[in-house]
Amino acid sequence: MAEPSSAFARALLPLAVALALAGCSASVPRAAAVGPLPVLTVPAGVPVVPGLQIGRWWTLFGDAELDRLVAQALQHNADLAVAAARLREARSRFDELRGAELPTLELQASAGRLRASAEASGSGQAFIASNQQVKLAAQFDVDLWGRLASATDAAGARLAAQAWARAAVEWSLSAQLAEAHFRHRALQRQIDIAAAVRDGRARAEALRRIERAAGGASELELRRAEAERAGAAATLAALQRQRLAAVGVIALLAGDAPSALGTIAAAAAPLDPTLDFMPRLPQGELADWLRQRPDLRQAESLLAAADADTAAARAALLPSLRLTGNAGGDAVDLSHLFDWRGFAWSMAAGLAQPIFDGGQLRTRVQQAEARADAALAQYGHSVANALVEIRDAYAALDIAQRALAAERERVAALDRATRLARLGEQAGATTQLDVLDAERQQFQAQLAEVDAYRDRLIGQVAVFKALGGGHDADPRLVGQGRAAPEPTRSPRGARRAFAAARGQSHNPETGVDR
């Protein structure tokens, strides 16, 4: 006949194997493939520069005012301050859950006095007794199946996600500020052009009035000159209104006080479209640039957090072990509380296995798995969105290059046409209407050339941003403990392993264990 202890051990062996398999199911790797990456077409005439660093891409434009604005925004922008506060909150939460894995120790003190009735005393005599206790109490939850460790992993991944969220604010802020700055500079140039045209047309109007008074010009010519001057003035007013809005945007992004709006307006030099700023692209693999984008790293970290939550929820289904102990003085007489006669201690271990809770623990596992699946879908969407942004940025830069070349050709042709029209008017070969028409087209072409040059600069900014430039987040600053921003667990694979350990089959389509 087998020994009772041996029979008991054999009976527990299948359960131990099942529990071990369940505990190891968290290590099943997740497959988060997003398919083959597309091949990008480099815009014509844009060189690929080996070793080009785009972490601080705004310095590549050689614009001291842009450098100043971005540096100021990184210090004073309100959105960055909010993101920094949320990062501190996430770090505190991570520290809290990491501390839950360690033993607790507390000092306890109590004093009491009671009177026992004669009936309850057993001796037929009522008595009064006192008790005083001072002790150190310790407690430790043994993390048999990684529940506490998984909770810490989830908090660490969320800490990393929040750090990437702050980097994403910086990443987006630098691009928005550069775009607003270039729009402001372009408006400055267009205002200069419009003011010069308005002044020129005002002089032409004054000349027509003199000629009209002398009888050398018709009223039609005078009214036409008035209309041309008024049209230029209206264009100038519209451009000034746009500049006012652009200055406000820059002030908000840079964290400036309202009193600094005049300083911003005066500091931006007009954009010179004749300068030949050469766009450039950094050399590297598309997959590496995707890894630079903070929005993808944030989605990746949230996916890891959801997977860790799933592992913690599964571990809650398994037995838990708690160790407790205390030591200190326990005496009736206060004088003996701190000597050897009052010394007492105790140790205990408690094992608990959930048996019936109305399905609450299992539904929590299903909720966690559903959230992990949603995080995986969101991660795939983020990757797809990043690929579209990169493709669109490359295409937009190529279009901006061609548009600027066409506008420059148009301006050169209209400059020549305007000169010929004026010479023709002096020679009597063309009319004043021909001159006004040529000047009007020349004016619009000059404004359009500035727009095209601005769009090429903004196109370069969009490429740098799409490739993940514009932040300097360091994953080492947030990857504390076991926290890491990469997904490491597969809820579906772990679900199947857990079901197998419990002698069930798992349906991946319905999510039901049978």
Side-chain angles (χ1 to χ4, degrees):
M1 180 176 179
E3 292 293 331
S5 58
S6 300
F8 181 68
R10 286 195 298 270
L12 285 183
L13 183 58
L15 176 61
V17 172
L19 294 179
L21 288 173
C24 294
S25 64
S27 63
V28 179
R30 172 189 290 276
V34 294
L37 297 178
V39 177
L40 295 176
T41 302
V42 176
V46 179
V48 177
V49 181
L52 182 65
Q53 300 298 317
I54 62 172
R56 288 288 181 264
W57 51 258
W58 50 86
T59 60
L60 300 175
F61 289 94
D63 189 328
E65 177 61 13
L66 176 60
D67 296 345
R68 185 193 70 81
L69 287 172
V70 174
Q72 178 176 322
L74 295 180
Q75 292 294 325
H76 302 293
N77 180 264
D79 291 334
L80 271 178
V82 171
R86 289 176 177 167
L87 178 59
R88 292 196 302 271
E89 178 187 5
R91 189 179 301 279
S92 297
R93 176 62 176 165
F94 171 70
D95 292 338
E96 175 190 358
L97 291 177
R98 184 169 57 178
E101 297 184 56
L102 304 175
T104 61
L105 181 66
E106 61 183 12
L107 177 64
Q108 298 177 352
S110 64
R113 188 173 177 82
L114 63 86
R115 179 186 184 278
S117 67
E119 182 66 27
S121 66
S123 63
Q125 297 290 329
F127 67 90
I128 297 176
S130 299
N131 179 259
Q132 293 84 29
Q133 291 184 345
V134 175
K135 60 183 178 180
L136 290 174
Q139 177 178 297
F140 179 54
D141 290 325
V142 181
D143 197 16
L144 294 174
W145 317 111
R147 177 179 61 84
L148 298 177
S150 295
T152 303
D153 285 347
R158 287 191 175 89
L159 171 59
Q162 195 56 57
W164 288 117
R166 185 191 182 283
V169 174
E170 182 180 324
W171 170 66
S172 178
L173 173 63
S174 57
Q176 292 177 20
L177 189 54
E179 181 176 340
H181 174 68
F182 288 136
R183 290 187 186 281
H184 180 212
R185 289 189 59 194
L187 287 168
Q188 291 278 64
R189 172 60 65 188
Q190 290 174 328
I191 286 172
D192 291 347
I193 294 172
V197 171
R198 180 205 57 188
D199 293 344
R201 290 181 179 176
R203 290 191 296 269
E205 178 189 358
L207 180 61
R208 291 292 178 264
R209 288 187 183 279
I210 294 173
E211 292 176 348
R212 172 64 176 164
S218 66
E219 183 178 359
L220 174 61
E221 292 174 329
L222 174 60
R223 301 309 173 200
R224 187 179 291 154
E226 287 179 348
E228 292 296 331
R229 187 264 310 154
T235 299
L236 176 61
L239 292 170
Q240 290 171 334
R241 184 170 58 251
Q242 294 176 40
R243 180 181 64 178
L244 183 65
V247 169
V249 170
I250 292 173
L252 288 175
L253 291 173
D256 264 322
S259 59
L261 295 180
T263 304
I264 295 175
L271 200 63
D272 187 356
T274 62
L275 295 178
D276 196 19
F277 171 79
M278 178 57 68
R280 66 205 92 169
L281 297 174
Q283 188 178 50
E285 297 294 331
L286 178 56
D288 295 332
W289 296 123
L290 288 175
R291 294 283 297 169
Q292 291 284 86
R293 289 177 59 107
D295 57 337
L296 292 188
R297 300 301 296 270
Q298 181 186 5
E300 206 172 31
S301 297
L302 291 175
L303 176 58
D307 285 341
D309 285 338
T310 303
R314 287 198 309 272
L317 294 170
L318 306 176
S320 60
L321 176 63
R322 173 172 292 179
L323 305 178
T324 59
N326 60 74
D330 185 358
V332 172
D333 189 343
L334 186 60
S335 63
H336 299 304
L337 183 60
F338 295 105
D339 61 26
W340 67 270
R341 286 179 294 180
F343 179 73
W345 60 268
S346 68
M347 291 189 298
L351 186 67
Q353 167 64 57
I355 296 177
F356 178 76
D357 64 352
Q360 296 180 60
L361 292 176
R362 181 164 293 281
T363 57
R364 287 172 192 162
V365 173
Q366 293 170 353
Q367 294 169 26
E369 290 171 342
R371 287 191 294 268
D373 289 345
L376 179 60
Q378 181 60 47
Y379 177 72
H381 174 74
S382 298
V383 173
N385 182 69
L387 291 173
V388 170
E389 283 188 9
I390 295 174
R391 183 205 62 182
D392 289 352
Y394 273 54
L397 181 58
D398 182 52
I399 293 172
Q401 284 274 91
R402 290 187 276 112
L404 178 59
E407 289 296 345
R408 283 175 170 172
E409 183 179 357
R410 178 188 175 199
V411 167
L414 287 173
D415 286 346
R416 176 65 175 165
T418 302
R419 287 195 298 271
L420 292 175
R422 288 171 181 164
L423 291 174
E425 183 186 23
Q426 295 172 3
T430 58
T431 66
Q432 181 199 20
L433 184 60
D434 294 326
V435 175
L436 290 176
D437 183 62
E439 289 178 344
R440 190 183 308 113
Q441 292 187 49
Q442 180 191 38
F443 177 37
Q444 296 301 322
Q446 289 172 340
L447 297 181
E449 181 188 23
V450 175
D451 282 339
Y453 189 71
R454 175 207 64 199
D455 289 345
R456 187 173 74 164
L457 292 174
I458 292 176
Q460 176 72 89
V461 170
V463 168
F464 286 150
K465 177 178 180 288
L467 295 178
H471 71 92
D472 59 356
D474 187 350
R476 295 173 298 178
L477 299 181
V478 296
Q480 302 183 20
R482 288 177 302 275
E486 289 79 15
T488 57
R489 298 182 174 91
S490 169
R492 292 193 183 277
R495 203 180 306 172
R496 287 192 294 270
F498 184 74
R502 298 179 67 90
Q504 299 172 326
S505 62
H506 176 73
N507 187 332
E509 299 298 325
T510 63
V512 175
D513 296 333
R514 301 184 181 278

